[in-house]
Amino acid sequence: MLTEKYIKDIQILRGVSILLVLLFHFNIAFFNNGFLGVDVFFVISGFLMFLISSKYSTVEFYERRFKRILPAYTSLIIIVIFLSFFLVNYLDYKNILYHSFFALFLSPNIGYWYENSYFDKDNFKPLLHLWSLGIEIQFYLLMPLLLFLYRNIKYSLIFIFFVSLFSCLIVTTVSPKTSFFLIPFRLWEFILGGFAAFYILNNIK
């Protein structure tokens, strides 16, 4: 099956997106927009998740996703909380506990949205990278609804795609952090990957 194969194209795109983000964080010249690698990753995720969800039931989809993500996810949070107790000052530790609270409820992106920005470097944020995983998980929770709409209401997914895209463009001019951190303004990227998945599924022969 297509979803079980090692798809080299996807691995290359993943590698490129991760590299862009790393170069951005290392302040390498000419990569000031390297954080756009996250956008590429979300499109890839949408592509793969719509392919996988076409093969498994909703319960099986959630079991596979959460078994793969949650053990490492929760272990990381617990380890960071434990080690930070010995390594950072009180204010930084209080800040880590605040972010850990949101992370444990699968909404780290919302915790960072309440603050200044992803690009704010004033505070110590060892769990900052979890914001994108939070959006991924929230997308997984929406997957059954999106599939239902796609299968039962013609053009519904196209409508959601354009609403999310145009909302993202508008909100970016008003509150960039809102369009950056919240799932409604990222949903179009996952759906874009979904369109590619549907094309392949409908033309598999």
Side-chain angles (χ1 to χ4, degrees), residues 17 20-21 24 33-41 180 186 189:
S17 63
L20 288 173
V21 173
F24 164 76
N33 292 320
F35 58 87
L36 293 176
V38 177
D39 299 86
V40 177
F41 208 90
F180 191 87
R186 292 284 191 171
E189 297 175 318

Side-chain angles (χ1 to χ4, degrees), residues 84-106:
S84 297
F85 180 81
F86 301 100
L87 298 175
V88 304
N89 60 48
Y90 172 76
L91 291 177
D92 281 339
Y93 190 67
K94 184 178 179 181
N95 196 43
I96 290 170
L97 290 178
Y98 168 84
H99 292 137
S100 298
F101 172 81
F102 282 95
L104 287 172
F105 283 93
L106 307 179

Side-chain angles (χ1 to χ4, degrees), residues 42 69 73 106 108 129-138 140:
F42 285 159
I69 292 174
Y73 179 86
L106 307 179
H129 62 288
L130 293 183
W131 76 268
S132 59
L133 190 55
I135 289 182
E136 286 259 358
I137 293 172
Q138 290 151 29
Y140 298 158

Side-chain angles (χ1 to χ4, degrees), residues 112-120 122-123 125 177 181:
Y112 291 110
W113 173 66
Y114 278 126
E115 298 187 329
N116 292 330
S117 169
Y118 174 76
F119 307 100
D120 171 30
D122 293 335
N123 299 315
K125 301 176 181 178
K177 73 170 185 177
F181 280 119

Side-chain angles (χ1 to χ4, degrees), residues 2-33:
L2 177 65
T3 52
E4 294 175 342
K5 291 181 179 178
Y6 181 86
I7 306 174
K8 291 184 178 180
D9 294 348
I10 294 297
Q11 300 305 324
I12 291 172
L13 284 174
R14 277 177 164 170
V16 169
S17 63
I18 293 171
L19 181 61
L20 288 173
V21 173
L22 286 175
L23 292 174
F24 164 76
H25 280 293
F26 284 122
N27 296 315
I28 304 298
F30 308 114
F31 289 95
N32 294 332
N33 292 320

Side-chain angles (χ1 to χ4, degrees), residues 14 39-53 61 136 139-140 143 146 187-198:
R14 277 177 164 170
D39 299 86
V40 177
F41 208 90
F42 285 159
V43 176
I44 294 171
S45 180
F47 173 76
L48 292 174
M49 292 308 103
F50 276 103
L51 279 182
I52 292 172
S53 63
F61 173 79
E136 286 259 358
F139 164 65
Y140 298 158
M143 274 290 299
L146 295 174
L187 196 55
W188 67 272
E189 297 175 318
F190 294 100
I191 294 176
L192 183 61
F195 289 154
F198 294 142

Side-chain angles (χ1 to χ4, degrees), residues 72-90:
Y73 179 86
T74 53
S75 296
L76 173 65
I77 296 170
I78 293 170
I79 290 171
V80 168
I81 291 173
F82 176 76
L83 293 179
S84 297
F85 180 81
F86 301 100
L87 298 175
V88 304
N89 60 48
Y90 172 76

